[in-house]
Amino acid sequence: MRRIFITLALMCVCAVAIQARLNIEQIFNDACTSDPNVTEAIVTGKAAHKINSRLDRLAFFKADAANYGEMVRKLVLADAHKASGRDLRYSDGVLSYAYIALSAPEGDCRDKVNTFIYYVESKRNSHPATVMVVLLEGSLSAKEQAKIIESLKKNKK
């Protein structure tokens, strides 16, 4: 009887964990990363703490908007529905910028770990349009998030 209870409890925990997963994490898989025109980086653990001591994970994705724009926009908008805070901006009826804040679930064993998603679609006259997603996890302030995003821009050049 005890084993059955433990098994059921573990199944419930797994179901909640799967349900809580972000839609945008689908872009960080082998299908997208095998494309040579996609830039992706995922930083966790000690490497993330070197960037900021309160950062647990940083994931970066940049790709051609013609190939990935529609898919990424749909995933971002799906996560925006679960957000505790969001700023969505549109250009010509198409999502061009998003900032999404997702709070850690109540009772989460992690201490104040939140998820932040930044999405930008750039449309330049001289270059093809690109989509960029930055996913940050940690107990970061808005100022710390901005500093990390700014450092990504500097490293890009």
Side-chain angles (χ1 to χ4, degrees):
M1 185 69 164
R2 184 175 175 202
R3 286 184 186 176
I4 293 172
F5 177 73
I6 291 172
T7 303
L8 288 173
L10 287 173
M11 288 173 60
C12 289
V13 168
C14 289
V16 169
I18 290 168
Q19 187 177 20
R21 211 173 121 205
L22 295 173
N23 292 296
I24 199 64
E25 289 191 29
Q26 293 176 33
I27 64 174
F28 300 104
N29 64 27
D30 292 333
C32 294
T33 57
S34 62
D35 184 339
N37 298 316
V38 171
T39 302
E40 179 189 80
I42 300 173
V43 181
T44 59
K46 289 181 182 180
H49 290 295
K50 284 183 180 179
I51 295 169
N52 183 299
S53 63
R54 295 164 25 122
L55 179 66
D56 294 331
R57 181 170 75 132
L58 178 143
F60 175 83
F61 176 89
K62 184 176 179 183
D64 180 45
N67 294 331
Y68 293 96
E70 185 177 343
M71 176 190 70
V72 173
R73 280 190 298 272
K74 286 180 182 179
L75 297 172
V76 167
L77 289 170
D79 285 331
H81 289 290
K82 301 181 257 183
S84 55
R86 65 184 152 269
D87 179 10
L88 305 175
R89 299 178 191 173
Y90 293 83
S91 176
D92 298 324
V94 177
L95 182 68
S96 60
Y97 169 86
Y99 167 74
I100 302 167
L102 297 122
S103 299
E106 287 297 318
D108 194 337
C109 57
R110 301 176 296 174
D111 185 32
K112 295 183 182 178
V113 174
N114 297 308
T115 301
F116 308 96
I117 300 170
Y118 289 87
Y119 165 84
V120 176
E121 182 170 342
S122 65
K123 296 179 183 175
R124 297 181 185 149
N125 294 334
S126 60
H127 300 289
T130 59
V131 291
M132 182 179 77
V133 176
V134 178
L135 179 120
L136 302 170
E137 285 183 352
S139 54
L140 301 163
S141 69
K143 194 177 233 182
E144 289 170 318
Q145 294 171 51
K147 188 174 180 182
I148 292 168
I149 297 295
E150 194 60 38
S151 72
L152 289 172
K153 288 180 188 176
K154 287 179 184 175
N155 289 332
K156 187 184 92 171
K157 294 177 182 177

